[in-house]
Amino acid sequence: MKAIFLRVALDTPLDTLFDYRCVLSTATDKASIPYIGQLLVVPFGRQELVGVIVDIRESTDVPENKIKDVITVRTELTPLLPDWMALVQFAADYYQRPLGEVALPALPKNLKAIKPVSLQRNLKKLAKISTTNNVQPTAEPDLNAEQQAAVDQITGASGFAANLLFGVTGSGKTEVYLQAATKVLARDEQSQILILVPEINLTPQFESHIRARFPGVMLSTLHSGMAEGERLLHWLAAHQGQARIILGTRLAMLASIPHLKLIIVDEEHDPSYKQQEGLRYSARDLAIWRARQLNIPVVLGSATPSLESWQGAQSGRYRQLNLRERAVKNAVLPVVKIINLEREKPSDGLTPRLISSIKLRLEKGEQSLLFLNRRGYAPVLACDACGWISQCTRCTANLVLHKGDHRLRCHHCGLEQRIPRSCPTCGNIDLQPLGRGTQRMEESLAAIFPDAKVFRIDADSTRLKGSAAAAFERVHDGDVDILIGTQMVAKGHDFKRLTLVAALNPDAALFSQDYRASERLFAQLMQVSGRAGRTAQKEGGNMSEVLVQTRYPDHPLYHALMAHNYEDFAKDLLLERQQAQLPPFMYQALLRAEAKELQQALEFLQQAAACQTHIGITINDPIPMTMTRVANVDRAQLLVESASRPALQAFVKEWIITLRSFKSRVKWSIEIDPVDI
Ligand code: ADP
Ligand code: ZN
Ligand code: ZN
């Protein structure tokens, strides 16, 4: 009999690892000796927890009478490899979280069930998933010169390389990914490829491209919309090396992929690569780290790269690959025109010029897409008589009117009420919706164009599982004349018959306090514009066009949009950021505090700000968050900045220890590289 001690990471907020004893009898066969990276079940307080073995030792500092025995080691699962362990360790260190809070949530739930589902059975099912043999394979189209150069660069070099694939919308970035993938897959029979997309809704489109190009190759998809059983299966397929291509949203970045040889991040600028709760990681940044760790290439693709990535390319850290033309012959970028709302008055949110453009498209049997980033019927319900407006009682926010199900709804805390029949303060029965959301636009469009098929896509219309896929299918099939939608419709979709795009009311973001708002708005408008004119322009047909309704026709952002000029726009923004000492020229960390009373949160932050000084670190004043109250909790924040990433890291590490020692009732968290400030 021999005892060894397993150092284990558990999903607890305690920033420490835990030692357990594991007794090996002399009869123990090799197969049941534990390894680093294996899962196991251990007692923890009165419960049992699943953890992962981080280290194996001959001795422990835990006293003999305190040490507990391991319950079982999950030997049936191949251990997580050292490179995966290093990935989660890096994420834990960089984002300043306990290792267990990073490693365990990265694994599928069913893998962590105390009574494990039979892995054997699941492994058998594996062979069946995702390998499609009944698909008619599509041939590779001939690449144009720029696409070919990109594929050659990506696959030509050996070792780590960060490639920024800067390609206008419709330039055929997908084809570059697919042909680079073909080469990497052919190179060795184990190699695996990870492709990240920003939205679950984009996975079906991508999946069908992959299946058609790689029949017989096992594809694993990973995103948050999957049932747990399915998720386990797909995770295992990647972990066991069977799946050669792994397609997923940001969470796939933390999957175990033992033979990873290429990482692709499509639409790398997209804010959804940043996780906004728990471990607030950036999947794009982790992709770069992972590629460097494994010494493999990574591709960041976008028509509007994030300023971080653009700066990376400008400074020579990333290699820039350009696709300047649309890939389809005679498909040209749409003409962008500005409609001045001061001169052309809209009715029901639509200017006469926009209405006649939609008419023209209808006559030609072409599709129009109207972009309005505001769901619901109207953002607020108001009483003219006394000035009452529908406000959330729990948040610093208005209740949004949803007419279909007669509800007022808070988009932040989920509070719901029936629409009042009369004003709650003065009894006036004539309550008016103020402003316009997608539902109201849908209603107006149906009234103006009674013969057209008007269709809405937003988070409300696609709540049911599978309904988003069905909705996009409908648009692709051409069964829609006018599509109205939020940013959901702006991303990535390759609509074939769409020739008019209109941004109904994009101005709000121009004057936001968030310094990233204009970068985001520009990317969004470029993206949504890029949905138009993706197929060959018809002989003698009209140019596809983009119409932007605005009160600020001279704003530089709209001028850059008209010129399809990302580069100059990015140059100006980067200059501004440099002058203002903002990211990517500065590194930031944000301390957030939440309390019942704003004062408590602010006091906590003041105490936090006072407790440490450090050379090269700027600690700003605590301020209430723009939306101060959410779900009856007041929120404040404190921004810390440094020109040096390591200095900031070192500071935060010490700071957290001090903050923990406050024993304050205030709930706090730290975010590294925050994007929403
Ligand atoms: P992006 O992702 O850059 O916006 P896509 O990858 O969706 O663009 O490609 C736009 C369209 O161009 C697609 O319909 C695609 O099939 C087509 N395409 C891509 N590459 C080629 C090529 N080399 N020859 C012909 N068509 C192409
Ligand atoms: Zn009133
Ligand atoms: Zn609310």
Side-chain angles (χ1 to χ4, degrees), residues 392-399 409-415 629-632:
C392 181
T393 49
R394 317 192 319 147
C395 308
T396 333
N398 292 332
L399 292 175
R409 204 169 272 145
C410 175
H411 287 183
H412 304 280
C413 73
L415 182 79
R629 200 170 182 78
V630 168
N632 283 333

